[in-house]
PDB file of all heavy atoms in Angstrom:
ATOM      1  N   GLY D 307       3.035 -48.854  65.978  1.00 86.00           N
ATOM      2  CA  GLY D 307       1.808 -48.061  65.978  1.00 86.00           C
ATOM      3  C   GLY D 307       0.819 -48.610  64.978  1.00 86.00           C
ATOM      4  O   GLY D 307       1.088 -49.588  64.275  1.00 86.00           O
ATOM      5  N   PHE D 308      -0.329 -47.962  64.884  1.00 81.00           N
ATOM      6  CA  PHE D 308      -1.383 -48.411  63.984  1.00 81.00           C
ATOM      7  C   PHE D 308      -2.299 -47.233  63.700  1.00 81.00           C
ATOM      8  O   PHE D 308      -2.117 -46.138  64.235  1.00 81.00           O
ATOM      9  CB  PHE D 308      -2.163 -49.582  64.599  1.00 81.00           C
ATOM     10  CG  PHE D 308      -2.626 -49.335  66.008  1.00 81.00           C
ATOM     11  CD1 PHE D 308      -3.835 -48.697  66.267  1.00 81.00           C
ATOM     12  CD2 PHE D 308      -1.851 -49.735  67.085  1.00 81.00           C
ATOM     13  CE1 PHE D 308      -4.253 -48.458  67.559  1.00 81.00           C
ATOM     14  CE2 PHE D 308      -2.263 -49.506  68.392  1.00 81.00           C
ATOM     15  CZ  PHE D 308      -3.475 -48.856  68.621  1.00 81.00           C
ATOM     16  N   GLY D 309      -3.291 -47.461  62.850  1.00 79.00           N
ATOM     17  CA  GLY D 309      -4.244 -46.406  62.533  1.00 79.00           C
ATOM     18  C   GLY D 309      -3.717 -45.382  61.547  1.00 79.00           C
ATOM     19  O   GLY D 309      -4.260 -44.278  61.426  1.00 79.00           O
ATOM     20  N   SER D 310      -2.653 -45.721  60.790  1.00 82.00           N
ATOM     21  CA  SER D 310      -2.076 -44.812  59.788  1.00 82.00           C
ATOM     22  C   SER D 310      -1.604 -43.493  60.382  1.00 82.00           C
ATOM     23  O   SER D 310      -1.561 -42.473  59.699  1.00 82.00           O
ATOM     24  CB  SER D 310      -3.092 -44.541  58.666  1.00 82.00           C
ATOM     25  OG  SER D 310      -3.434 -45.725  57.996  1.00 82.00           O
ATOM     26  N   ARG D 311      -1.214 -43.517  61.650  1.00 89.00           N
ATOM     27  CA  ARG D 311      -0.679 -42.307  62.275  1.00 89.00           C
ATOM     28  C   ARG D 311       0.832 -42.248  62.128  1.00 89.00           C
ATOM     29  O   ARG D 311       1.503 -43.272  62.104  1.00 89.00           O
ATOM     30  CB  ARG D 311      -1.074 -42.270  63.753  1.00 89.00           C
ATOM     31  CG  ARG D 311      -2.569 -42.037  63.966  1.00 89.00           C
ATOM     32  CD  ARG D 311      -2.956 -42.186  65.419  1.00 89.00           C
ATOM     33  NE  ARG D 311      -2.899 -43.573  65.854  1.00 89.00           N
ATOM     34  CZ  ARG D 311      -3.326 -43.984  67.050  1.00 89.00           C
ATOM     35  NH1 ARG D 311      -3.828 -43.115  67.904  1.00 89.00           N
ATOM     36  NH2 ARG D 311      -3.243 -45.264  67.370  1.00 89.00           N
ATOM     37  N   HIS D 312       1.360 -41.032  62.060  1.00 94.00           N
ATOM     38  CA  HIS D 312       2.807 -40.789  61.972  1.00 94.00           C
ATOM     39  C   HIS D 312       3.425 -41.474  60.757  1.00 94.00           C
ATOM     40  O   HIS D 312       4.455 -42.143  60.845  1.00 94.00           O
ATOM     41  CB  HIS D 312       3.508 -41.244  63.260  1.00 94.00           C
ATOM     42  CG  HIS D 312       2.978 -40.591  64.495  1.00 94.00           C
ATOM     43  ND1 HIS D 312       3.021 -39.227  64.701  1.00 94.00           N
ATOM     44  CD2 HIS D 312       2.353 -41.115  65.584  1.00 94.00           C
ATOM     45  CE1 HIS D 312       2.472 -38.940  65.872  1.00 94.00           C
ATOM     46  NE2 HIS D 312       2.049 -40.056  66.414  1.00 94.00           N
ATOM     47  N   ILE D 313       2.784 -41.295  59.600  1.00 95.00           N
ATOM     48  CA  ILE D 313       3.319 -41.765  58.328  1.00 95.00           C
ATOM     49  C   ILE D 313       3.416 -40.562  57.403  1.00 95.00           C
ATOM     50  O   ILE D 313       2.420 -39.863  57.182  1.00 95.00           O
ATOM     51  CB  ILE D 313       2.435 -42.859  57.700  1.00 95.00           C
ATOM     52  CG1 ILE D 313       2.323 -44.064  58.639  1.00 95.00           C
ATOM     53  CG2 ILE D 313       2.993 -43.293  56.347  1.00 95.00           C
ATOM     54  CD1 ILE D 313       1.449 -45.177  58.107  1.00 95.00           C
ATOM     55  N   TYR D 314       4.616 -40.307  56.862  1.00 96.00           N
ATOM     56  CA  TYR D 314       4.846 -39.105  56.071  1.00 96.00           C
ATOM     57  C   TYR D 314       5.486 -39.481  54.743  1.00 96.00           C
ATOM     58  O   TYR D 314       6.453 -40.242  54.700  1.00 96.00           O
ATOM     59  CB  TYR D 314       5.749 -38.128  56.824  1.00 96.00           C
ATOM     60  CG  TYR D 314       5.302 -37.893  58.258  1.00 96.00           C
ATOM     61  CD1 TYR D 314       5.918 -38.565  59.312  1.00 96.00           C
ATOM     62  CD2 TYR D 314       4.247 -37.028  58.544  1.00 96.00           C
ATOM     63  CE1 TYR D 314       5.508 -38.361  60.619  1.00 96.00           C
ATOM     64  CE2 TYR D 314       3.824 -36.818  59.844  1.00 96.00           C
ATOM     65  CZ  TYR D 314       4.454 -37.497  60.884  1.00 96.00           C
ATOM     66  OH  TYR D 314       4.033 -37.304  62.176  1.00 96.00           O
ATOM     67  N   ARG D 315       4.971 -38.909  53.683  1.00 96.00           N
ATOM     68  CA  ARG D 315       5.502 -39.165  52.329  1.00 96.00           C
ATOM     69  C   ARG D 315       6.606 -38.154  52.028  1.00 96.00           C
ATOM     70  O   ARG D 315       6.451 -36.960  52.294  1.00 96.00           O
ATOM     71  CB  ARG D 315       4.380 -39.061  51.303  1.00 96.00           C
ATOM     72  CG  ARG D 315       4.830 -39.274  49.864  1.00 96.00           C
ATOM     73  CD  ARG D 315       3.635 -39.358  48.949  1.00 96.00           C
ATOM     74  NE  ARG D 315       4.034 -39.418  47.534  1.00 96.00           N
ATOM     75  CZ  ARG D 315       3.372 -40.097  46.628  1.00 96.00           C
ATOM     76  NH1 ARG D 315       2.290 -40.787  46.968  1.00 96.00           N
ATOM     77  NH2 ARG D 315       3.766 -40.103  45.375  1.00 96.00           N
ATOM     78  N   ALA D 316       7.697 -38.653  51.455  1.00 96.00           N
ATOM     79  CA  ALA D 316       8.835 -37.797  51.127  1.00 96.00           C
ATOM     80  C   ALA D 316       9.226 -38.007  49.676  1.00 96.00           C
ATOM     81  O   ALA D 316       9.402 -39.142  49.227  1.00 96.00           O
ATOM     82  CB  ALA D 316      10.009 -38.107  52.043  1.00 96.00           C
ATOM     83  N   GLU D 317       9.385 -36.897  48.939  1.00 96.00           N
ATOM     84  CA  GLU D 317       9.747 -36.960  47.531  1.00 96.00           C
ATOM     85  C   GLU D 317      11.242 -36.784  47.298  1.00 96.00           C
ATOM     86  O   GLU D 317      11.709 -36.898  46.162  1.00 96.00           O
ATOM     87  CB  GLU D 317       8.981 -35.876  46.750  1.00 96.00           C
ATOM     88  CG  GLU D 317       7.466 -35.976  46.850  1.00 96.00           C
ATOM     89  CD  GLU D 317       6.907 -37.177  46.111  1.00 96.00           C
ATOM     90  OE1 GLU D 317       7.651 -37.759  45.277  1.00 96.00           O
ATOM     91  OE2 GLU D 317       5.737 -37.531  46.351  1.00 96.00           O
ATOM     92  N   SER D 318      12.001 -36.493  48.370  1.00 96.00           N
ATOM     93  CA  SER D 318      13.437 -36.267  48.218  1.00 96.00           C
ATOM     94  C   SER D 318      14.137 -36.568  49.534  1.00 96.00           C
ATOM     95  O   SER D 318      13.490 -36.715  50.579  1.00 96.00           O
ATOM     96  CB  SER D 318      13.700 -34.813  47.821  1.00 96.00           C
ATOM     97  OG  SER D 318      13.304 -33.937  48.875  1.00 96.00           O
ATOM     98  N   ALA D 319      15.470 -36.618  49.483  1.00 96.00           N
ATOM     99  CA  ALA D 319      16.249 -36.847  50.699  1.00 96.00           C
ATOM    100  C   ALA D 319      16.036 -35.722  51.695  1.00 96.00           C
ATOM    101  O   ALA D 319      16.030 -35.945  52.907  1.00 96.00           O
ATOM    102  CB  ALA D 319      17.728 -36.987  50.344  1.00 96.00           C
ATOM    103  N   GLU D 320      15.862 -34.500  51.173  1.00 97.00           N
ATOM    104  CA  GLU D 320      15.633 -33.354  52.054  1.00 97.00           C
ATOM    105  C   GLU D 320      14.313 -33.513  52.808  1.00 97.00           C
ATOM    106  O   GLU D 320      14.229 -33.198  54.005  1.00 97.00           O
ATOM    107  CB  GLU D 320      15.634 -32.060  51.243  1.00 97.00           C
ATOM    108  CG  GLU D 320      16.988 -31.653  50.672  1.00 97.00           C
ATOM    109  CD  GLU D 320      17.401 -32.525  49.500  1.00 97.00           C
ATOM    110  OE1 GLU D 320      16.512 -33.152  48.878  1.00 97.00           O
ATOM    111  OE2 GLU D 320      18.625 -32.590  49.224  1.00 97.00           O
ATOM    112  N   GLU D 321      13.289 -34.015  52.136  1.00 97.00           N
ATOM    113  CA  GLU D 321      12.001 -34.206  52.805  1.00 97.00           C
ATOM    114  C   GLU D 321      12.072 -35.347  53.817  1.00 97.00           C
ATOM    115  O   GLU D 321      11.424 -35.291  54.869  1.00 97.00           O
ATOM    116  CB  GLU D 321      10.902 -34.464  51.770  1.00 97.00           C
ATOM    117  CG  GLU D 321      10.558 -33.239  50.948  1.00 97.00           C
ATOM    118  CD  GLU D 321       9.349 -33.466  50.061  1.00 97.00           C
ATOM    119  OE1 GLU D 321       8.634 -34.478  50.262  1.00 97.00           O
ATOM    120  OE2 GLU D 321       9.104 -32.630  49.169  1.00 97.00           O
TER     121      GLU D 321
END
Side-chain angles (χ1 to χ4, degrees):
F308 50 87
S310 298
R311 291 173 289 187
H312 303 299
I313 300 179
Y314 311 99
R315 179 172 174 146
E317 302 290 344
S318 65
E320 291 74 21
E321 290 188 13

